[in-house]
Amino acid sequence: KYTKFSIYYYWINSLDQKTSISTRSEDVPIPSGEENKTAALSYDYKIMPLENTSSTGTYYCQVKWNDIQKMGKGVFVLIRDTGYINTSYGWEILVTLTVLLAILSITATALLLWKRKVLCPRRNQPNILRQKVEAQLPSASPPPLPPPVYD
């Protein structure tokens, strides 16, 4: 009774539409001495090629005997137009960060050197200022000097 059965392969797309893929009938002979025993048989089926993204869905197989039918749990298959592309940007981020830090370092160094030239007087400059002040103010007490730059 159970030696003749049919195997149906089909898939259900995202719109819950059932599409038949293949059907095959089997008639399995029972070896002598194996009657009234449970047997498990394996049948592989390859679906090739999956042509476009509309083939995405859940694929099932179903086995039907005269009065019984059993259905598998299904396998979900996602099909993309292009292959999987690893989106790791680690190398690019490292190079960008290094370049940015180098630019900031060069800019900060240039600003510090420029400020030093603007704010720091030369060695002879305080004497020149002192001479000008003494020449302008002949009073007894000299005016206080400006605080040194390092203050």
Side-chain angles (χ1 to χ4, degrees), residues 34-45:
E34 296 294 318
E35 296 89 358
N36 296 325
K37 289 186 178 178
T38 301
L41 301 174
S42 183
Y43 294 92
D44 292 333
Y45 184 79

Side-chain angles (χ1 to χ4, degrees), residues 117-136:
K117 284 181 182 179
V118 170
L119 293 178
C120 296
R122 293 186 192 132
R123 289 184 180 179
N124 297 334
Q125 196 169 0
N127 294 336
I128 295 171
L129 287 175
R130 193 177 301 135
Q131 288 172 3
K132 285 182 181 178
V133 169
E134 289 173 359
Q136 290 176 358

Side-chain angles (χ1 to χ4, degrees), residues 2-150:
Y2 299 108
T3 60
K4 292 183 182 181
F5 55 91
S6 296
I7 303 173
Y8 301 92
Y9 297 98
Y10 62 93
W11 66 283
I12 298 177
N13 64 15
S14 60
L15 302 173
D16 286 334
Q17 297 169 333
K18 184 177 178 178
T19 304
S20 178
I21 299 171
S22 173
T23 302
R24 68 193 267 184
S25 296
E26 294 290 331
D27 188 2
V28 180
I30 300 174
S32 69
E34 296 294 318
E35 296 89 358
N36 296 325
K37 289 186 178 178
T38 301
L41 301 174
S42 183
Y43 294 92
D44 292 333
Y45 184 79
K46 291 184 180 182
I47 303 170
M48 295 293 282
L50 297 172
E51 297 173 5
N52 55 31
T53 57
S54 64
S55 298
T56 294
T58 306
Y59 288 74
Y60 296 92
C61 91
Q62 184 175 26
V63 179
K64 290 184 181 179
W65 290 272
N66 291 335
D67 56 346
I68 300 174
Q69 65 181 17
K70 295 285 183 180
M71 187 172 86
K73 295 179 181 178
V75 175
F76 179 76
V77 177
L78 174 63
I79 300 169
R80 297 182 180 180
D81 285 335
T82 59
Y84 176 74
I85 299 171
N86 190 3
T87 56
S88 173
Y89 298 109
W91 194 240
E92 291 86 355
I93 291 173
L94 181 64
V95 170
T96 304
L97 186 63
T98 303
V99 168
L100 183 65
L101 288 175
I103 290 171
L104 288 174
S105 176
I106 292 169
T107 305
T109 303
L111 283 173
L112 285 174
L113 291 174
W114 179 72
K115 286 255 186 200
R116 184 174 183 203
K117 284 181 182 179
V118 170
L119 293 178
C120 296
R122 293 186 192 132
R123 289 184 180 179
N124 297 334
Q125 196 169 0
N127 294 336
I128 295 171
L129 287 175
R130 193 177 301 135
Q131 288 172 3
K132 285 182 181 178
V133 169
E134 289 173 359
Q136 290 176 358
L137 298 172
S139 65
S141 62
L145 291 174
V149 173
Y150 59 85

